[in-house]
Amino acid sequence: MNSGSPHKRGKARILDQRIIAEGYREMKLSYSSDSNGRPRVRPSSGQFFTILPHHYPLSIMRRPFAYSDSDENGFSFIYEIRGPATRDLANLDDGSPVDWIGPLGSTFPEAPENSRPVLVAGGIGVGPILYLARELAEAGAESLVVLGARNVGLVPRLEWPETAEVRICTDDGSHGIHGTVLDGLSNTNVTNAAFYTCGPHPMMAAVHRFAVDTDRPCWVSMEEMMACGVGACQGCAIPVKDEDDLSRPAYKQACVEGPIFDSRELIW
Ligand SMILES: Cc1cc2nc3c(=O)[nH]c(=O)nc-3n(C[C@H](O)[C@H](O)[C@H](O)COP(=O)(O)OP(=O)(O)OC[C@H]3O[C@@H](n4cnc5c(N)ncnc54)[C@H](O)[C@@H]3O)c2cc1C
Ligand code: FES
């Protein structure tokens, strides 16, 4: 969990992609052995990259995705098929080349000493949370992971570290706990919790309020609309509290000053 590192542009090839839930894929990419200057900057959890499938017309914007894993040979991410870019990714064959820029953005900070990391994810937020759970397990920490989905078909089939306690919550009760991620947190001792969350805005806002009510720290990953991803276009501004003038918001660029923020810094 280091701080932001210099990013690189590289070529990768699709090694594998598999369906992990209805409309969700996990894609693994290997750095191309033939690319000039093979990128070796290892990302950390919370960071993201932007991707441009190789055959795209130049007019198509790069799309940002969070890392869900990485090693020295390549990296993975989890995505939901939503529109043209993700539909296109889902139709690419193994071996197809993609052009990417990463690692970008900030990383999840370490939890305060003696705290228990509580990771809360929903929807497309599951990728960075899986990566964080893996990093925490490697560092010897035991975490609680609470995952929310509308129904059993949308629950991602993933390998979580053995040291993580995983609770699944579904809105319709078709799998695991019947209810939202907050129901998944009820009857849990959170006196030493450190919350990390990524997913739909209302879910993260609810986790933020829960953390404030229980006086515990909370970090959120703001997956805002991004165009350039590198601080050049102002397209990802999010309102934050201006400590010098609380009557009006200040703004931060989610791509370079985030995507990870202390939840108390943001205006919800
Ligand atoms: C830092 C960051 C991390 C992300 N991580 C993931 C991830 O791990 N998995 C995942 O599935 N998605 C992730 N996203 C969202 C992902 O970028 C969009 O789902 C994707 O760009 C959709 O493109 P599309 O052409 O398929 O759909 P479109 O039809 O273009 O858009 C569908 C919806 O996706 C969102 N979206 C579109 N373009 C962007 C963009 N440039 N930036 C952000 N959101 C956009 C909007 O909500 C839009 O309504 C992340 C976004 C950001 C900013
Ligand atoms: S996406 Fe361009 S400045 Fe953040």
Side-chain angles (χ1 to χ4, degrees), residues 24-25 46-49 56 60-68 77-88 123-128 198 221-227 236 254-255 259:
Y24 282 80
R25 302 275 198 280
Q47 289 189 292
F48 67 98
F49 60 96
Y56 265 27
I60 299 265
M61 266 190 347
R62 292 180 163 274
R63 294 300 206 272
F65 296 96
Y67 294 94
S68 63
F77 66 105
I78 289 168
Y79 69 95
E80 181 187 12
I81 301 171
R82 284 180 159 181
T86 46
R87 260 200 310 275
D88 199 88
I124 61 170
V126 73
C198 186
S221 176
M222 300 300 288
E223 300 194 336
E224 294 299 305
M225 185 64 86
M226 286 182 189
C236 62
C255 67

Side-chain angles (χ1 to χ4, degrees), residues 192-225:
N192 65 343
F195 291 98
Y196 297 87
T197 183
C198 186
H201 203 273
M203 184 205 79
M204 293 199 295
V207 175
H208 157 69
R209 280 194 300 273
F210 188 80
V212 170
D213 290 346
T214 52
D215 200 21
R216 299 306 305 158
C218 178
W219 292 278
V220 297
S221 176
M222 300 300 288
E223 300 194 336
E224 294 299 305
M225 185 64 86

Side-chain angles (χ1 to χ4, degrees), residues 89-126:
L89 282 174
N91 288 327
L92 292 179
D93 295 323
D94 289 358
S96 301
V98 290
D99 179 311
W100 64 276
I101 295 176
L104 301 168
S106 58
T107 69
F108 286 117
E110 283 182 27
E113 212 175 329
N114 298 325
S115 59
R116 184 193 192 196
V118 176
L119 284 48
V120 185
I124 61 170
V126 73

Side-chain angles (χ1 to χ4, degrees), residues 145-190:
V145 178
V146 183
L147 291 184
R150 285 203 305 283
N151 58 55
V152 63
L154 295 170
V155 175
R157 294 176 289 278
L158 294 166
E159 277 179 37
W160 293 90
E162 278 177 17
T163 50
E165 177 193 342
V166 181
R167 292 185 197 164
I168 312 278
C169 311
T170 49
D171 293 349
D172 66 356
S174 52
H175 189 75
I177 296 163
H178 190 169
T180 69
V181 291
L182 286 192
D183 296 300
L185 284 170
S186 65
N187 302 322
T188 304
N189 179 0
V190 294

Side-chain angles (χ1 to χ4, degrees), residues 13-25:
R13 283 191 187 276
I14 298 172
L15 212 52
D16 179 45
Q17 73 166 321
R18 68 181 184 106
I19 299 170
I20 56 163
E22 281 164 23
Y24 282 80
R25 302 275 198 280

Side-chain angles (χ1 to χ4, degrees), residues 225-237 253-256:
M225 185 64 86
M226 286 182 189
C228 73
V230 292
C233 73
Q234 307 289 333
C236 62
Q253 287 172 299
C255 67
V256 287

